[in-house]
Amino acid sequence: MNKPLNGIKIIDFTHVQAGPACTQMLAWFGADVIKVERPGSGDVTRSQLRDIPDVDALYFTMLNSNKRSLTLDTKTAEGKAVLEKMIKEFDVMVENFGPGALDRMGFTWERIQEINPRMILASVKGFSDGHEYEDLKVYENVAQCAGGAASTTGWWKGEQSGPLVSSAALGDTNTGMHLAIGILTAYIGRQQTGKGQKVSVAMQDAVLNLCRVKMRDQLRLDTMGYLVRHYPALLTKRFGPQAANVDGHGLLSAIAEVRSLAKKAGGLDLARAATALLNDFRSGTLGAISLETVEQPAPTA
């Protein structure tokens, strides 16, 4: 089968999730991806969260399918020579080492350009170049907090109202997808100029990109003092799942509020309580919920 990226050769110097998700996506589209791992242990996810003894963990296999693999010790002269030969012959090198690790191996961007001016070097980092935390390693939870995503979900008031990290890989896999777009853009650019480029995506930036709509809500909140829903689905007066970007807080907090309201009303029908809550949100009086707004059940004979 002919795939769009057939013929593109990629050195995959990545580990764990963000980088491997990126290179796996490119491999699915036909690129020849060679995963380079450390001798003896390989990618740490080969053994992490393993559920079957003595085999690669699902954590590893689900992020590294469609790739070939080799082990390489870049601390030795022989290992450096092998990597240099690969750089000469390949199109892209992807890495997510800690800041400065590739430079310490002797393969700075300037050196890579000397070996192969057409090479595209793609990197995942925690924070962008020049950031005060550019030298820090970053993992999922830090990325979600630094990028603002953790502030968009969870409960909006009460003892548990602090930021809540999502179980979705907003920091890891999301950053990998942003990097894949950057790599393909650089590849198209190389077709026009004949020169490679350095591509870098910071996990903080990738998370922040997903939170742009929340910036809209923050501006509205600063101006109005409250948030009002204007979504057509609410006209049906049905209480259904709503994304956090609708009114500034997550679904879990709304459900908790409805349950609390129903309990206070002495077993009032949950649907009626939900309707009251939605009407309250739509009117712009967020949090000012009154039992008087709930239609009382008709008396029974």
Side-chain angles (χ1 to χ4, degrees):
M1 177 188 296
N2 184 51
K3 295 185 177 181
L5 302 186
N6 279 353
I8 298 178
K9 302 175 70 174
I10 298 175
I11 303 170
D12 182 3
F13 241 142
T14 70
H15 55 283
V16 190
Q17 185 176 165
C22 167
T23 52
Q24 182 186 53
M25 179 66 70
L26 300 176
W28 281 341
F29 285 119
D32 182 12
V33 177
I34 308 296
K35 185 175 178 71
V36 180
E37 300 180 69
R38 70 181 69 181
S41 58
D43 190 319
V44 66
T45 59
R46 283 186 182 271
S47 58
Q48 281 187 340
L49 307 177
R50 181 184 283 161
D51 59 312
I52 302 176
D54 303 320
V55 300
D56 289 334
L58 180 60
Y59 189 12
F60 174 84
T61 57
M62 67 168 45
L63 291 165
N64 292 282
S65 61
N66 282 21
K67 303 177 186 178
R68 296 190 287 163
S69 179
L70 64 85
T71 58
L72 192 63
D73 185 356
T74 56
K75 294 181 180 179
T76 67
E78 181 182 13
K80 291 181 187 297
V82 171
L83 180 56
E84 185 169 323
K85 185 175 187 297
M86 293 178 70
I87 292 174
K88 285 181 180 178
E89 298 175 357
F90 280 59
D91 300 287
V92 181
M93 180 160 70
V94 189
E95 62 92 15
N96 64 342
F97 293 117
L102 202 59
D103 293 353
R104 291 191 292 273
M105 291 180 195
F107 292 94
T108 63
W109 171 234
E110 291 73 23
R111 176 59 182 147
I112 291 172
Q113 286 183 302
E114 290 176 1
I115 299 170
N116 181 1
R118 292 173 57 82
M119 171 61 70
I120 295 167
L121 175 62
S123 304
V124 169
K125 299 302 174 190
F127 297 93
S128 58
D129 291 344
H131 194 285
E132 59 180 321
Y133 298 137
E134 65 178 344
D135 294 329
L136 296 183
K137 292 182 179 179
V138 170
Y139 292 93
E140 180 67 46
N141 289 6
V142 175
Q144 288 196 33
C145 291
S151 297
T152 68
T153 188
W155 285 262
W156 61 279
K157 67 177 183 177
E159 295 180 358
Q160 297 178 323
S161 61
L164 184 65
V165 173
S166 169
S167 295
L170 306 180
D172 282 321
T173 293
N174 168 50
T175 302
M177 298 303 99
H178 277 77
L179 188 64
I181 294 170
I183 291 170
L184 296 176
T185 302
Y187 184 77
I188 293 173
R190 193 184 76 174
Q191 292 176 321
Q192 298 170 357
T193 67
K195 298 179 180 180
Q197 295 186 48
K198 185 178 181 180
V199 179
S200 182
V201 176
M203 296 173 73
Q204 180 191 35
D205 295 345
V207 172
L208 185 60
N209 187 42
L210 295 187
C211 296
R212 285 182 294 170
V213 172
K214 292 307 301 174
M215 296 179 188
R216 170 208 68 182
D217 289 338
Q218 187 60 53
L219 289 172
R220 291 168 60 224
L221 183 62
D222 290 344
T223 303
M224 302 170 61
Y226 58 85
L227 297 176
V228 183
R229 291 178 172 182
H230 296 289
Y231 283 70
L234 297 177
L235 299 179
T236 64
K237 296 187 178 181
R238 287 180 59 252
F239 185 79
Q242 298 291 336
N245 67 355
V246 174
D247 54 34
H249 67 277
L251 172 63
L252 292 178
S253 62
I255 292 176
E257 194 74 52
V258 170
R259 288 175 175 170
S260 175
L261 180 59
K263 184 177 180 180
K264 291 177 182 177
L268 188 67
D269 181 72
L270 188 60
R272 289 178 177 172
T275 299
L277 179 63
L278 287 176
N279 288 337
D280 187 71
F281 284 169
R282 290 169 63 195
S283 68
T285 55
L286 186 64
I289 300 171
S290 171
L291 291 180
E292 284 72 24
T293 63
V294 184
E295 179 185 350
Q296 297 298 321
T300 57

